[in-house]
Amino acid sequence: MSAGDAAQERAREPVLDTVDRVSELCFGLFMALTFVGTVSAATGGEDAGRKMLYTAFGCNLAWGLADAVMYLVRTIANRARRHALALSIQRERDAAAGVRALRERLSTALDPFVSDADLEAIRKRIAASDGLPERARFVRGDFLAALGIFIIIVLSTFPVAAPFVLVKHVPTALLISRVLTLAMLFFCGFALGGYAGWSGWKAGLSMTALGVLLTMAIIALGG
């Protein structure tokens, strides 16, 4: 594969990877589930199910917006940090100092596998580059990713809250809601396990168990 083909392949990659999608979906499920579990006992009347759906939807709407905005904040902060590193390397005349700067930013897990000669080659390419922008900027994919986070969290409301609209008996609706949530957590873990190279079934069951424990902890802490 040529460099151009590799660049086109990277351009076709989704703006959110499997870990991002699974993490945001689980977050939305936990938020909706704990919220529904907390208020279901206090909700009554013929319109209880609709009120439950609206309140849970409003909760995840707010958290989806907050998480999407914070994703943009994290993205531009990390990009600005990398941009500042590239600028400092271009301005640094001492090659050894440039290599040290790259070494400091290198993950400790990769440190044993990357030599100073490798970093020097990277430093030379950065120093010779004339395409560095004046400052870090957002790109179209950043906003698409933020929108994806918002949509995932909002949509995660419906499997949790919809049973309260479809089933009038609140305890039964709560049971259905929790079963659906646990099933979704299992499939989230299954997908994450496949992405990470683990056993899908074990990862799914582990995610389900983690979801139960986290939900119990959040409710116990007043969440």
Side-chain angles (χ1 to χ4, degrees):
M1 181 183 292
S2 66
D5 293 336
Q8 290 180 1
E9 187 66 25
R10 287 178 63 85
R12 287 194 293 267
E13 290 181 356
V15 293
L16 291 174
D17 62 20
T18 301
V19 176
D20 291 326
R21 293 194 296 270
V22 169
S23 299
E24 297 300 337
L25 179 58
C26 289
F27 174 74
L29 288 172
F30 291 145
M31 286 299 303
L33 183 62
T34 53
F35 183 81
V36 164
T38 302
V39 302
S40 60
T43 306
E46 295 182 357
D47 204 29
R50 196 174 301 275
K51 289 178 182 178
M52 184 72 66
L53 176 62
Y54 289 161
T55 50
F57 181 77
C59 174
N60 272 14
L61 195 69
W63 279 108
L65 178 61
D67 210 26
V69 171
M70 290 309 301
Y71 170 83
L72 292 175
V73 171
R74 293 193 304 272
T75 297
I76 197 63
N78 289 331
R79 189 168 297 151
R81 188 167 183 259
R82 293 192 297 268
H83 183 266
L85 173 62
L87 278 180
S88 68
I89 289 175
Q90 286 190 340
R91 295 168 181 170
E92 179 60 66
R93 296 184 179 181
D94 184 1
V99 170
R100 285 197 300 272
L102 287 172
R103 177 70 67 184
E104 290 173 358
R105 298 292 181 87
L106 188 68
S107 169
T108 55
L110 296 176
D111 204 44
F113 307 104
V114 181
S115 67
D116 285 349
D118 297 327
L119 294 177
E120 171 60 14
I122 296 174
R123 186 202 66 80
K124 285 182 177 179
R125 287 196 294 271
I126 295 175
S129 175
D130 57 358
L132 194 66
E134 295 182 1
R135 61 181 182 275
R137 294 186 176 90
F138 286 115
V139 297
R140 177 172 175 269
D142 299 332
F143 297 103
L144 290 177
L147 178 62
I149 288 172
F150 176 78
I151 291 174
I152 288 172
I153 292 179
V154 171
L155 290 181
S156 67
T157 306
F158 293 98
V160 180
F164 292 92
V165 177
L166 302 176
V167 180
K168 293 184 178 180
H169 188 242
V170 173
T172 302
L174 183 60
L175 176 62
I176 296 173
S177 173
R178 288 174 175 169
V179 169
L180 288 175
T181 302
L182 293 177
M184 291 187 67
L185 287 173
F186 174 83
F187 284 113
C188 284
F190 191 92
L192 193 61
Y195 178 82
W198 303 329
S199 167
W201 286 96
K202 289 182 179 179
L205 292 173
S206 297
M207 180 66 77
T208 304
L210 179 62
V212 172
L213 293 175
L214 277 176
T215 302
M216 292 171 60
I218 293 172
I219 293 176
L221 292 172

mmCIF file with all atom_site columns, all heavy atoms in Angstrom, residues 126-141:
data_model
loop_
_atom_site.group_PDB
_atom_site.id
_atom_site.type_symbol
_atom_site.label_atom_id
_atom_site.label_alt_id
_atom_site.label_comp_id
_atom_site.label_asym_id
_atom_site.label_entity_id
_atom_site.label_seq_id
_atom_site.pdbx_PDB_ins_code
_atom_site.Cartn_x
_atom_site.Cartn_y
_atom_site.Cartn_z
_atom_site.occupancy
_atom_site.B_iso_or_equiv
_atom_site.pdbx_formal_charge
_atom_site.auth_seq_id
_atom_site.auth_comp_id
_atom_site.auth_asym_id
_atom_site.auth_atom_id
_atom_site.pdbx_PDB_model_num
ATOM 1   N N   . ILE A 1 126 ? 10.083  16.914 11.468 1.00 0.00 ? 126 ILE A N   1
ATOM 2   C CA  . ILE A 1 126 ? 9.307   18.030 12.026 1.00 0.00 ? 126 ILE A CA  1
ATOM 3   C C   . ILE A 1 126 ? 10.013  19.352 11.762 1.00 0.00 ? 126 ILE A C   1
ATOM 4   O O   . ILE A 1 126 ? 9.399   20.341 11.354 1.00 0.00 ? 126 ILE A O   1
ATOM 5   C CB  . ILE A 1 126 ? 9.081   17.834 13.535 1.00 0.00 ? 126 ILE A CB  1
ATOM 6   C CG1 . ILE A 1 126 ? 8.213   16.605 13.791 1.00 0.00 ? 126 ILE A CG1 1
ATOM 7   C CG2 . ILE A 1 126 ? 8.428   19.079 14.145 1.00 0.00 ? 126 ILE A CG2 1
ATOM 8   C CD1 . ILE A 1 126 ? 8.042   16.266 15.260 1.00 0.00 ? 126 ILE A CD1 1
ATOM 9   N N   . ALA A 1 127 ? 11.334  19.370 11.982 1.00 0.00 ? 127 ALA A N   1
ATOM 10  C CA  . ALA A 1 127 ? 12.099  20.598 11.795 1.00 0.00 ? 127 ALA A CA  1
ATOM 11  C C   . ALA A 1 127 ? 12.084  21.060 10.344 1.00 0.00 ? 127 ALA A C   1
ATOM 12  O O   . ALA A 1 127 ? 12.106  22.265 10.065 1.00 0.00 ? 127 ALA A O   1
ATOM 13  C CB  . ALA A 1 127 ? 13.531  20.397 12.271 1.00 0.00 ? 127 ALA A CB  1
ATOM 14  N N   . ALA A 1 128 ? 12.042  20.105 9.404  1.00 0.00 ? 128 ALA A N   1
ATOM 15  C CA  . ALA A 1 128 ? 12.074  20.454 7.983  1.00 0.00 ? 128 ALA A CA  1
ATOM 16  C C   . ALA A 1 128 ? 10.694  20.750 7.413  1.00 0.00 ? 128 ALA A C   1
ATOM 17  O O   . ALA A 1 128 ? 10.570  21.227 6.282  1.00 0.00 ? 128 ALA A O   1
ATOM 18  C CB  . ALA A 1 128 ? 12.724  19.318 7.190  1.00 0.00 ? 128 ALA A CB  1
ATOM 19  N N   . SER A 1 129 ? 9.645   20.465 8.182  1.00 0.00 ? 129 SER A N   1
ATOM 20  C CA  . SER A 1 129 ? 8.283   20.661 7.685  1.00 0.00 ? 129 SER A CA  1
ATOM 21  C C   . SER A 1 129 ? 7.961   22.139 7.577  1.00 0.00 ? 129 SER A C   1
ATOM 22  O O   . SER A 1 129 ? 8.270   22.939 8.457  1.00 0.00 ? 129 SER A O   1
ATOM 23  C CB  . SER A 1 129 ? 7.278   19.979 8.615  1.00 0.00 ? 129 SER A CB  1
ATOM 24  O OG  . SER A 1 129 ? 5.956   20.256 8.222  1.00 0.00 ? 129 SER A OG  1
ATOM 25  N N   . ASP A 1 130 ? 7.303   22.499 6.462  1.00 0.00 ? 130 ASP A N   1
ATOM 26  C CA  . ASP A 1 130 ? 6.870   23.889 6.282  1.00 0.00 ? 130 ASP A CA  1
ATOM 27  C C   . ASP A 1 130 ? 5.342   24.000 6.237  1.00 0.00 ? 130 ASP A C   1
ATOM 28  O O   . ASP A 1 130 ? 4.800   25.031 5.873  1.00 0.00 ? 130 ASP A O   1
ATOM 29  C CB  . ASP A 1 130 ? 7.464   24.478 4.996  1.00 0.00 ? 130 ASP A CB  1
ATOM 30  C CG  . ASP A 1 130 ? 7.105   23.664 3.756  1.00 0.00 ? 130 ASP A CG  1
ATOM 31  O OD1 . ASP A 1 130 ? 6.421   22.623 3.908  1.00 0.00 ? 130 ASP A OD1 1
ATOM 32  O OD2 . ASP A 1 130 ? 7.504   24.058 2.645  1.00 0.00 ? 130 ASP A OD2 1
ATOM 33  N N   . GLY A 1 131 ? 4.673   22.900 6.619  1.00 0.00 ? 131 GLY A N   1
ATOM 34  C CA  . GLY A 1 131 ? 3.206   22.898 6.569  1.00 0.00 ? 131 GLY A CA  1
ATOM 35  C C   . GLY A 1 131 ? 2.546   23.029 7.918  1.00 0.00 ? 131 GLY A C   1
ATOM 36  O O   . GLY A 1 131 ? 1.342   22.778 8.052  1.00 0.00 ? 131 GLY A O   1
ATOM 37  N N   . LEU A 1 132 ? 3.318   23.434 8.929  1.00 0.00 ? 132 LEU A N   1
ATOM 38  C CA  . LEU A 1 132 ? 2.746   23.551 10.276 1.00 0.00 ? 132 LEU A CA  1
ATOM 39  C C   . LEU A 1 132 ? 1.854   24.787 10.348 1.00 0.00 ? 132 LEU A C   1
ATOM 40  O O   . LEU A 1 132 ? 2.276   25.891 10.009 1.00 0.00 ? 132 LEU A O   1
ATOM 41  C CB  . LEU A 1 132 ? 3.874   23.656 11.299 1.00 0.00 ? 132 LEU A CB  1
ATOM 42  C CG  . LEU A 1 132 ? 3.494   23.446 12.766 1.00 0.00 ? 132 LEU A CG  1
ATOM 43  C CD1 . LEU A 1 132 ? 3.034   22.012 12.979 1.00 0.00 ? 132 LEU A CD1 1
ATOM 44  C CD2 . LEU A 1 132 ? 4.680   23.751 13.669 1.00 0.00 ? 132 LEU A CD2 1
ATOM 45  N N   . PRO A 1 133 ? 0.594   24.632 10.778 1.00 0.00 ? 133 PRO A N   1
ATOM 46  C CA  . PRO A 1 133 ? -0.300  25.804 10.865 1.00 0.00 ? 133 PRO A CA  1
ATOM 47  C C   . PRO A 1 133 ? 0.146   26.751 11.968 1.00 0.00 ? 133 PRO A C   1
ATOM 48  O O   . PRO A 1 133 ? 0.949   26.411 12.833 1.00 0.00 ? 133 PRO A O   1
ATOM 49  C CB  . PRO A 1 133 ? -1.659  25.177 11.192 1.00 0.00 ? 133 PRO A CB  1
ATOM 50  C CG  . PRO A 1 133 ? -1.332  23.877 11.853 1.00 0.00 ? 133 PRO A CG  1
ATOM 51  C CD  . PRO A 1 133 ? -0.076  23.388 11.215 1.00 0.00 ? 133 PRO A CD  1
ATOM 52  N N   . GLU A 1 134 ? -0.393  27.956 11.918 1.00 0.00 ? 134 GLU A N   1
ATOM 53  C CA  . GLU A 1 134 ? -0.033  28.960 12.915 1.00 0.00 ? 134 GLU A CA  1
ATOM 54  C C   . GLU A 1 134 ? -0.496  28.565 14.305 1.00 0.00 ? 134 GLU A C   1
ATOM 55  O O   . GLU A 1 134 ? 0.170   28.872 15.293 1.00 0.00 ? 134 GLU A O   1
ATOM 56  C CB  . GLU A 1 134 ? -0.620  30.326 12.533 1.00 0.00 ? 134 GLU A CB  1
ATOM 57  C CG  . GLU A 1 134 ? -0.040  30.913 11.248 1.00 0.00 ? 134 GLU A CG  1
ATOM 58  C CD  . GLU A 1 134 ? -0.627  32.275 10.942 1.00 0.00 ? 134 GLU A CD  1
ATOM 59  O OE1 . GLU A 1 134 ? -1.466  32.757 11.755 1.00 0.00 ? 134 GLU A OE1 1
ATOM 60  O OE2 . GLU A 1 134 ? -0.270  32.848 9.911  1.00 0.00 ? 134 GLU A OE2 1
ATOM 61  N N   . ARG A 1 135 ? -1.633  27.916 14.388 1.00 0.00 ? 135 ARG A N   1
ATOM 62  C CA  . ARG A 1 135 ? -2.159  27.489 15.692 1.00 0.00 ? 135 ARG A CA  1
ATOM 63  C C   . ARG A 1 135 ? -3.055  26.274 15.489 1.00 0.00 ? 135 ARG A C   1
ATOM 64  O O   . ARG A 1 135 ? -3.470  25.966 14.371 1.00 0.00 ? 135 ARG A O   1
ATOM 65  C CB  . ARG A 1 135 ? -2.956  28.619 16.366 1.00 0.00 ? 135 ARG A CB  1
ATOM 66  C CG  . ARG A 1 135 ? -4.165  29.086 15.587 1.00 0.00 ? 135 ARG A CG  1
ATOM 67  C CD  . ARG A 1 135 ? -4.886  30.222 16.316 1.00 0.00 ? 135 ARG A CD  1
ATOM 68  N NE  . ARG A 1 135 ? -6.082  30.655 15.610 1.00 0.00 ? 135 ARG A NE  1
ATOM 69  C CZ  . ARG A 1 135 ? -6.107  31.535 14.634 1.00 0.00 ? 135 ARG A CZ  1
ATOM 70  N NH1 . ARG A 1 135 ? -4.975  32.087 14.222 1.00 0.00 ? 135 ARG A NH1 1
ATOM 71  N NH2 . ARG A 1 135 ? -7.238  31.876 14.054 1.00 0.00 ? 135 ARG A NH2 1
ATOM 72  N N   . ALA A 1 136 ? -3.328  25.606 16.581 1.00 0.00 ? 136 ALA A N   1
ATOM 73  C CA  . ALA A 1 136 ? -4.202  24.428 16.531 1.00 0.00 ? 136 ALA A CA  1
ATOM 74  C C   . ALA A 1 136 ? -5.627  24.854 16.226 1.00 0.00 ? 136 ALA A C   1
ATOM 75  O O   . ALA A 1 136 ? -6.115  25.853 16.772 1.00 0.00 ? 136 ALA A O   1
ATOM 76  C CB  . ALA A 1 136 ? -4.137  23.680 17.849 1.00 0.00 ? 136 ALA A CB  1
ATOM 77  N N   . ARG A 1 137 ? -6.287  24.097 15.377 1.00 0.00 ? 137 ARG A N   1
ATOM 78  C CA  . ARG A 1 137 ? -7.663  24.416 14.978 1.00 0.00 ? 137 ARG A CA  1
ATOM 79  C C   . ARG A 1 137 ? -8.514  23.159 15.006 1.00 0.00 ? 137 ARG A C   1
ATOM 80  O O   . ARG A 1 137 ? -8.011  22.040 14.920 1.00 0.00 ? 137 ARG A O   1
ATOM 81  C CB  . ARG A 1 137 ? -7.687  25.004 13.562 1.00 0.00 ? 137 ARG A CB  1
ATOM 82  C CG  . ARG A 1 137 ? -7.023  26.360 13.397 1.00 0.00 ? 137 ARG A CG  1
ATOM 83  C CD  . ARG A 1 137 ? -7.249  26.869 11.978 1.00 0.00 ? 137 ARG A CD  1
ATOM 84  N NE  . ARG A 1 137 ? -6.725  28.212 11.780 1.00 0.00 ? 137 ARG A NE  1
ATOM 85  C CZ  . ARG A 1 137 ? -5.493  28.479 11.383 1.00 0.00 ? 137 ARG A CZ  1
ATOM 86  N NH1 . ARG A 1 137 ? -4.646  27.471 11.161 1.00 0.00 ? 137 ARG A NH1 1
ATOM 87  N NH2 . ARG A 1 137 ? -5.090  29.723 11.210 1.00 0.00 ? 137 ARG A NH2 1
ATOM 88  N N   . PHE A 1 138 ? -9.814  23.381 15.107 1.00 0.00 ? 138 PHE A N   1
ATOM 89  C CA  . PHE A 1 138 ? -10.756 22.279 14.960 1.00 0.00 ? 138 PHE A CA  1
ATOM 90  C C   . PHE A 1 138 ? -10.844 21.897 13.481 1.00 0.00 ? 138 PHE A C   1
ATOM 91  O O   . PHE A 1 138 ? -10.638 22.728 12.593 1.00 0.00 ? 138 PHE A O   1
ATOM 92  C CB  . PHE A 1 138 ? -12.157 22.678 15.442 1.00 0.00 ? 138 PHE A CB  1
ATOM 93  C CG  . PHE A 1 138 ? -12.287 22.776 16.938 1.00 0.00 ? 138 PHE A CG  1
ATOM 94  C CD1 . PHE A 1 138 ? -12.541 24.001 17.541 1.00 0.00 ? 138 PHE A CD1 1
ATOM 95  C CD2 . PHE A 1 138 ? -12.170 21.649 17.731 1.00 0.00 ? 138 PHE A CD2 1
ATOM 96  C CE1 . PHE A 1 138 ? -12.668 24.093 18.916 1.00 0.00 ? 138 PHE A CE1 1
ATOM 97  C CE2 . PHE A 1 138 ? -12.300 21.729 19.102 1.00 0.00 ? 138 PHE A CE2 1
ATOM 98  C CZ  . PHE A 1 138 ? -12.550 22.960 19.697 1.00 0.00 ? 138 PHE A CZ  1
ATOM 99  N N   . VAL A 1 139 ? -11.167 20.623 13.248 1.00 0.00 ? 139 VAL A N   1
ATOM 100 C CA  . VAL A 1 139 ? -11.445 20.156 11.897 1.00 0.00 ? 139 VAL A CA  1
ATOM 101 C C   . VAL A 1 139 ? -12.867 19.595 11.876 1.00 0.00 ? 139 VAL A C   1
ATOM 102 O O   . VAL A 1 139 ? -13.496 19.411 12.921 1.00 0.00 ? 139 VAL A O   1
ATOM 103 C CB  . VAL A 1 139 ? -10.427 19.081 11.448 1.00 0.00 ? 139 VAL A CB  1
ATOM 104 C CG1 . VAL A 1 139 ? -9.025  19.658 11.398 1.00 0.00 ? 139 VAL A CG1 1
ATOM 105 C CG2 . VAL A 1 139 ? -10.457 17.861 12.371 1.00 0.00 ? 139 VAL A CG2 1
ATOM 106 N N   . ARG A 1 140 ? -13.372 19.321 10.692 1.00 0.00 ? 140 ARG A N   1
ATOM 107 C CA  . ARG A 1 140 ? -14.753 18.878 10.532 1.00 0.00 ? 140 ARG A CA  1
ATOM 108 C C   . ARG A 1 140 ? -15.026 17.611 11.333 1.00 0.00 ? 140 ARG A C   1
ATOM 109 O O   . ARG A 1 140 ? -16.087 17.464 11.956 1.00 0.00 ? 140 ARG A O   1
ATOM 110 C CB  . ARG A 1 140 ? -15.032 18.640 9.053  1.00 0.00 ? 140 ARG A CB  1
ATOM 111 C CG  . ARG A 1 140 ? -16.429 18.113 8.732  1.00 0.00 ? 140 ARG A CG  1
ATOM 112 C CD  . ARG A 1 140 ? -16.650 18.093 7.227  1.00 0.00 ? 140 ARG A CD  1
ATOM 113 N NE  . ARG A 1 140 ? -17.914 17.485 6.873  1.00 0.00 ? 140 ARG A NE  1
ATOM 114 C CZ  . ARG A 1 140 ? -18.075 16.182 6.601  1.00 0.00 ? 140 ARG A CZ  1
ATOM 115 N NH1 . ARG A 1 140 ? -17.022 15.369 6.662  1.00 0.00 ? 140 ARG A NH1 1
ATOM 116 N NH2 . ARG A 1 140 ? -19.254 15.702 6.270  1.00 0.00 ? 140 ARG A NH2 1
ATOM 117 N N   . GLY A 1 141 ? -14.047 16.683 11.348 1.00 0.00 ? 141 GLY A N   1
ATOM 118 C CA  . GLY A 1 141 ? -14.246 15.429 12.065 1.00 0.00 ? 141 GLY A CA  1
ATOM 119 C C   . GLY A 1 141 ? -14.450 15.606 13.558 1.00 0.00 ? 141 GLY A C   1
ATOM 120 O O   . GLY A 1 141 ? -15.119 14.790 14.196 1.00 0.00 ? 141 GLY A O   1
#
